[in-house]
Amino acid sequence: MKTNTLALSLTLAASLLVACGGGGDARSPDRPSPGLDPSSLRIDFPNGSQLAGTGTNSIQARMLALQTDGVENNLGPELNVTAGTQWTLGGSIGSPAIAKLADAVRDAGQLRDVLDIISTVRLASTDTLKNLTITGKYPLKGTTYTITEPFTIVPPLVSGNKYISGQTVIAFNPSNPQAKANANYQLLQNLQGLPGVTENSTANATFCSSNSKFAFGPTVVPANGAAFAPATISNPFTDSNQSQVSVTITAVSNAQGAPVPCGSEGAIEIASLVVNLIPATVSKVAVCAVANPAADACNGVSSNQNFFKTQYLSSCKGLDNSTVKVPAAQRLQLVAELTYTNPQNPNQQPVVEYQCKGPDVLAWSATPTTIFSEGPDAVDGDASLVSQSAYAALPVSDRTSVAKGTYTNDLGTAQQTVISDTLNLQLVDAEVTAIKIVRADGEMPANDTDTIFLNVFNDGIDYIAMCTFKDFDSTDTIACPASFVSWELNNTDRLSVSPKQNSNTTTVNPKDDAVAGDGTATLRARYTDGISDVQATRTINAVDDEVVELHLYQASNANSPDDVSIDEFSCVGRTDLVGTVADGENYLRGNQRFYAFALFESGADDMSAAFLANPKADGSPLVDVTNRERLIFSALSGYWSGNSSASPSCVSSAAPSLPGADGIPGLDQLPGFDQVPGLDQIPGLPETSSTPAASFSGQTKGSLESRGLLRLSTVCVQAFIDSDNDGFTEGDIVTQEGSTVLVLPAADDDLLVFSNELCETLEPVLTLGGNFPGLEGPGIVLPLVYTISTIADPILTALATNDDGGAIPGEEIVNALITGNFSTINENFPDSPIGGLGQVTNALLGDGSPLSPVITGLDACVVDPLTTVVGTLLDALLGLNPGAFSELTGISFDDCQDVFGNFAIPTLPGGTPDLPSIPGLPTP
């Protein structure tokens, strides 16, 4: 609960003026002090009124009211009276109850007092919406005022994989070996149909770390269900050892509700996250202030730490000047820009974070406090500014305050240092002179005219009402106070707007029962308080334009991330290798970015092969739909059958029959194929081996990331439009293309810098066979890699379990992959009944092999070289022996030049020898 700091002298002064018969409008100093206006009482849901029925989620409710001075109404700042309200739930609560109220009101920082409404039962995804109500009764001067508002409980439908959320960069002073840090982590999963809402599964998992310096304590479950796993991290650095440390934290599934000891046999890994420990300390603090911040502007894994979302950074005033104008009657949030540098290494790249709250290390204050009615809170940094009438009563000399942010390095040690910054706040008039409607996504279409398409995506547009105040420059704006803004559409045939009042944000969506055809609507925002009445409009075109094609692209070149292409093959590396700084650039490892582009009916006539090859070209009718909510990426164990195959699809069974001419047997006719064990038949292997070797991130849309420390397998990637929010079903639009991603462990940083280029170069070899007439599809080697990986991948996963940086048996792994003799690594591991990659390739392509008629005239240069190439490539790509490429120099391919084209693998940095030209099938 926040403390009122409005000086008593102001109240007395206002009382004297009233007693003397003063008058005037709301800006006059001789008006009585305003008080709560019961007619304006309202229940507010700051994070929305849809509660995910997961059994653990919660939403917040609060009772708010404007003020009146007896003459003028609708005066700010809005008062929070949640703590003085009696609360009850009503509607379809059910038995057992599907929701409950928290036992007590809590202080939620910038949101001030809130009451949590908690989901208590997990609903089935096929359940129906539950309509409930919350009632608040507020007593004032002998009268009880009752307010009731509806809210809904939404059956949860998960989207994407679970992921770990929390700090990914933690800094330590390298000169202070005693330093410790605290961080909190959660296991989350996105929910479809509820943008920005996640399901918290932290309480059902055990968190583990690959480094003993990073230790997790017992999971904390607050009353609102937002569980988190707290970690204590010790300084890993010394004066002589300042190399960045990468720690992999994993969440493993609890067994029947009981925690599973880290490293125990049979532990099921759910998700992993790389956390970088860097040698650095805060060297600079810069303070900025946000007026009327968004409800989620400051958030964190727990209430102990809140970081400012950089998407709102443009609204944080003061980073480029020392004085900020703040209108009376507004809410304010102070934010600290923290710059981390290494005092012992001036060439180390700085790291910048934005933080609202950091108990013990970050403190807030202001001098004097005459411009505040609440705060600034010493921990949260939030505050309320005095009302317009109080502003008018303040002498000009008292309308400024100096806000201060103080950060303490190396807390609790003899070496702690304090660094701070100040920001001058100038209180100005609360009169609003203009309002503007802007898009929340920052898009600025011509003539401020927006387009909402009536199609399967069902996407709307989010808007924000921005206000210009009397003492502002004409171009300067801040988010309007929410309680004074209302919204309306002049035409609701095709579009709807919600919320319609008491919100500075709104969303315009297509209607489910939209009138057919195109139409135009005008969105109007109106700002009305006791001293201002202004409005603005924006034109929205509703266009009936369905999707006719969906295409899958990826960033094939890591050094040109903005260039995308249709690519049937790529690779990713180990998740525990991270970006290093080289030539001023950060290189991200271990992931591959995919994108989806759609062709709409309106652009069908403009479509061409050139635009398909370059969807970002000027005039292209293809639209990037990657971030549309209903666009879903999928990654399945297996491989893509080929864009040119008769029925392009993901193949997820080991060693299927090869497509093509009659009489060519499939791999299932190889000796020993029927002896390939299922994953559940291999003793002692973790169950994670049955999961895809890579999955899409729950935080970065379209980012495919490898799972686990050491994997070798393939995954098949596609994307589809979930037209009915129930997962993939018949009738959903699917990308016409797919892609096979080879997941490789790579121990060499330089190799990973060029991983995309290597994969592009190797594509003709690894898809060998896919371009022969009658054999269009995934080729020969990719199915082999996947088949062998059904045994190799679980073995590699077992070898990597709890790996703390120790030696991995690289030579044995490579030999086993080529020969299939996995028992040479560990006698308990099974050998492959169909041999290794080298043996199986020979079986298909060697003398007398089933495919020898297809490669007549080529066997002299393919049979032995292909086996050598496959073995050598695996050896090098595993990152365990990069020098193995030099073994290819003695192979002559002169006899193959009429069929195979030359192409060169680029020179690798870091001293790796130049690589020779390797023949391969030309890409069509």
Side-chain angles (χ1 to χ4, degrees):
M1 192 176 298
K2 307 301 181 183
T3 303
N4 287 326
T5 61
L6 181 60
L8 179 62
S9 59
L10 290 177
T11 304
L12 292 174
S15 299
L16 289 172
L17 288 169
V18 173
C20 293
D25 68 13
R27 287 167 292 176
S28 295
D30 56 352
R31 291 287 290 275
S33 295
L36 185 146
D37 180 3
S39 67
S40 68
L41 282 165
R42 67 183 182 95
I43 293 176
D44 176 56
F45 301 100
N47 290 304
S49 60
Q50 290 186 307
L51 172 60
T54 62
T56 59
N57 278 56
S58 64
I59 58 174
Q60 293 72 50
R62 54 185 184 170
M63 185 72 79
L64 304 177
L66 294 168
Q67 302 181 62
T68 180
D69 60 9
V71 178
E72 294 286 352
N73 298 323
N74 294 336
L75 299 178
E78 201 166 29
L79 302 176
N80 185 316
V81 294
T82 307
T85 303
Q86 296 177 340
W87 298 93
T88 56
L89 290 180
S92 305
I93 299 177
S95 181
I98 59 176
K100 69 175 184 178
L101 295 175
D103 294 333
V105 170
R106 66 181 175 91
D107 181 357
Q110 65 172 15
L111 298 178
R112 299 175 287 170
D113 288 347
V114 300
L115 182 69
D116 293 305
I117 307 173
I118 305 168
S119 167
T120 54
V121 174
R122 182 177 180 84
L123 302 180
S125 60
T126 56
D127 213 330
T128 58
L129 289 174
K130 307 300 180 183
N131 298 310
L132 280 72
T133 60
I134 183 170
T135 297
K137 295 183 177 182
Y138 181 72
L140 179 67
K141 298 179 181 180
T143 302
T144 298
Y145 298 89
T146 301
I147 308 295
T148 299
E149 285 292 334
F151 69 95
T152 57
I153 300 183
V154 181
L157 181 65
V158 297
S159 175
N161 298 290
K162 294 181 179 180
Y163 60 93
I164 297 175
S165 176
Q167 284 180 262
T168 56
V169 177
I170 300 175
F172 288 93
N173 185 346
S175 300
N176 185 3
Q178 306 173 51
K180 292 183 181 295
N182 297 314
N184 303 309
Y185 294 87
Q186 291 177 318
L187 181 64
L188 305 176
Q189 189 169 23
N190 294 331
L191 295 175
Q192 201 162 330
L194 294 171
V197 179
T198 57
E199 179 177 3
N200 188 327
S201 301
T202 308
N204 299 321
T206 299
F207 283 72
C208 305
S209 163
S210 65
N211 192 305
S212 59
K213 295 283 187 179
F214 203 114
F216 281 98
T219 295
V220 177
V221 184
N224 65 349
F228 62 90
T232 300
I233 307 99
S234 302
N235 190 353
F237 305 112
T238 64
D239 287 338
S240 59
N241 180 13
Q242 296 191 23
S243 298
Q244 177 176 300
V245 175
S246 298
V247 180
T248 299
I249 60 176
T250 55
V252 297
S253 179
N254 289 344
Q256 299 179 346
V260 174
C262 294
S264 60
E265 183 175 335
I268 303 174
E269 179 184 316
I270 305 171
S272 64
L273 178 72
V274 174
V275 180
N276 301 319
L277 309 184
I278 63 172
T281 186
V282 173
S283 59
K284 179 185 176 183
V285 175
V287 174
C288 60
V290 184
N292 305 319
D296 63 343
C298 291
N299 68 351
V301 169
S302 73
S303 59
N304 294 333
Q305 288 179 319
N306 280 334
F307 293 89
F308 185 71
K309 284 189 173 181
T310 54
Q311 71 188 74
Y312 301 117
L313 195 56
S314 62
S315 65
C316 205
K317 311 292 186 181
L319 292 178
D320 54 358
N321 50 62
S322 59
T323 300
V324 172
K325 293 179 179 179
V326 288
Q330 313 302 305
R331 289 286 298 165
L332 204 65
Q333 176 66 52
L334 299 175
V335 178
E337 180 188 66
L338 306 176
T339 302
Y340 293 83
T341 57
N342 187 345
Q344 299 183 24
N345 182 6
N347 294 323
Q348 179 175 306
Q349 187 178 26
V351 173
V352 177
E353 287 183 340
Y354 296 88
Q355 197 161 356
C356 306
K357 177 181 180 180
D360 301 324
V361 296
L362 181 60
W364 299 103
S365 62
T367 306
T369 58
T370 50
I371 70 171
F372 299 101
S373 63
E374 287 182 332
D377 189 274
V379 176
D380 293 320
D382 67 305
S384 288
L385 298 168
V386 297
S387 66
Q388 174 67 26
S389 61
Y391 157 78
L394 277 174
V396 174
S397 60
D398 290 338
R399 293 177 181 174
T400 60
S401 180
V402 179
K404 184 178 183 179
T406 302
Y407 191 89
T408 302
N409 281 310
D410 302 324
L411 187 70
T413 70
Q415 300 184 34
Q416 72 179 41
T417 57
V418 175
I419 187 169
S420 63
D421 183 49
T422 59
L423 179 65
N424 298 318
L425 302 176
Q426 180 183 348
L427 189 69
V428 297
D429 199 297
E431 181 181 355
V432 173
T433 56
I435 184 175
K436 184 177 182 180
I437 303 173
V438 301
R439 288 179 56 149
D441 58 12
E443 293 290 326
M444 293 183 289
N447 302 318
D448 285 338
T449 299
D450 299 314
T451 301
I452 291 180
F453 294 103
L454 309 178
N455 55 40
V456 66
F457 284 115
N458 200 41
D459 281 335
I461 298 177
D462 297 326
Y463 294 97
I464 305 174
M466 303 295 290
C467 282
T468 298
F469 288 80
K470 179 180 179 180
D471 295 323
F472 280 11
D473 294 335
S474 60
T475 58
D476 193 12
T477 61
I478 62 173
C480 297
S483 54
F484 303 124
V485 181
S486 61
W487 304 86
E488 67 175 353
L489 282 171
N490 72 333
N491 183 344
T492 57
D493 288 345
R494 299 169 181 84
L495 305 174
S496 64
V497 60
S498 180
K500 296 182 178 180
Q501 59 185 3
N502 298 319
S503 176
N504 57 14
T505 63
T506 196
T507 302
V508 177
N509 280 314
K511 295 179 69 173
D512 292 335
D513 56 349
V515 174
D518 301 343
T520 299
T522 299
L523 175 66
R524 183 183 307 275
R526 182 179 181 184
Y527 180 91
T528 308
D529 62 12
I531 55 178
S532 311
D533 189 351
V534 293
Q535 55 185 295
T537 60
R538 192 175 180 106
T539 301
I540 304 174
N541 293 324
V543 178
D544 193 347
D545 198 11
E546 268 300 349
V547 176
V548 294
E549 292 179 8
L550 190 64
H551 298 279
L552 182 71
Y553 292 82
Q554 59 179 297
S556 297
N557 188 327
N559 293 328
S560 300
D562 293 332
D563 296 335
V564 299
S565 60
I566 294 175
D567 196 340
E568 294 187 58
F569 178 79
S570 61
C571 65
V572 296
R574 284 180 65 161
T575 56
D576 64 336
L577 290 180
V578 297
T580 56
V581 179
D583 298 328
E585 296 185 58
N586 286 321
Y587 293 104
L588 183 64
R589 318 291 196 264
N591 74 335
Q592 178 67 18
R593 288 299 304 272
F594 284 86
Y595 300 87
F597 282 73
L599 176 66
F600 295 90
E601 288 179 349
S602 59
D605 293 340
D606 299 324
M607 189 58 185
S608 66
F611 288 137
L612 185 63
N614 183 10
K616 294 184 177 182
D618 291 341
S620 171
L622 291 170
V623 178
D624 187 350
V625 295
T626 302
N627 291 316
R628 304 289 180 93
E629 184 188 357
R630 290 188 174 183
L631 193 285
I632 307 295
F633 289 96
S634 67
L636 304 174
S637 295
Y639 52 91
W640 179 242
S641 67
N643 295 338
S644 300
S645 59
S647 299
S649 63
C650 287
V651 181
S652 57
S653 58
S657 294
L658 290 172
D662 294 339
I664 299 179
L667 298 179
D668 55 352
Q669 296 187 21
L670 290 172
F673 174 78
D674 57 351
Q675 302 173 40
V676 176
L679 295 177
D680 56 350
Q681 298 175 300
I682 305 177
L685 298 182
E687 292 188 37
T688 51
S689 59
S690 63
T691 64
S695 59
F696 281 98
S697 167
Q699 295 174 290
T700 304
K701 192 81 174 281
S703 177
L704 184 75
E705 301 174 354
S706 57
R707 302 182 66 175
L709 291 172
L710 195 60
R711 304 295 295 267
L712 175 68
S713 189
T714 60
V715 293
C716 180
V717 172
Q718 279 186 288
F720 66 95
I721 303 172
D722 188 1
S723 58
D724 43 14
N725 287 329
D726 63 351
F728 180 72
T729 55
E730 186 176 355
D732 286 342
I733 300 174
V734 185
T735 51
Q736 297 184 6
E737 304 81 15
S739 182
T740 301
V741 178
L742 176 61
V743 184
L744 294 164
D748 183 271
D749 230 15
D750 289 334
L751 276 174
L752 281 174
V753 172
F754 285 89
S755 62
N756 285 320
E757 288 88 338
L758 277 169
C759 291
E760 188 76 15
T761 305
L762 298 174
E763 181 173 0
V765 174
L766 290 178
T767 58
L768 181 62
N771 299 314
F772 283 110
L775 284 176
E776 291 85 356
I780 301 170
V781 179
L782 277 177
L784 291 174
V785 171
Y786 178 66
T787 301
I788 299 300
S789 75
T790 59
I791 297 177
D793 188 54
I795 290 175
L796 294 177
T797 304
L799 290 173
T801 301
N802 296 317
D803 173 44
D804 201 6
I808 293 176
E811 184 177 351
E812 291 88 343
I813 290 176
V814 174
N815 289 335
L817 290 172
I818 296 173
T819 65
N821 297 324
F822 295 101
S823 60
T824 59
I825 302 175
N826 185 307
E827 62 182 9
N828 294 321
F829 290 160
D831 292 330
S832 168
I834 58 174
L837 289 176
Q839 293 163 296
V840 176
T841 304
N842 266 330
L844 286 171
L845 301 177
D847 292 334
S849 69
L851 292 183
S852 57
V854 179
I855 58 171
T856 299
L858 301 179
D859 55 344
C861 64
V862 170
V863 176
D864 180 68
L866 181 62
T867 304
T868 305
V869 166
V870 171
T872 304
L873 292 179
L874 283 172
D875 192 357
L877 284 174
L878 283 168
L880 303 167
N881 184 14
F885 283 110
S886 62
E887 298 174 11
L888 298 175
T889 56
I891 300 175
S892 172
F893 296 107
D894 293 340
D895 295 336
C896 304
Q897 295 309 304
D898 291 339
V899 177
F900 291 92
N902 275 327
F903 59 94
I905 299 178
T907 302
L908 299 178
T912 305
D914 290 349
L915 305 176
S917 296
I918 302 176
L921 294 174
T923 303

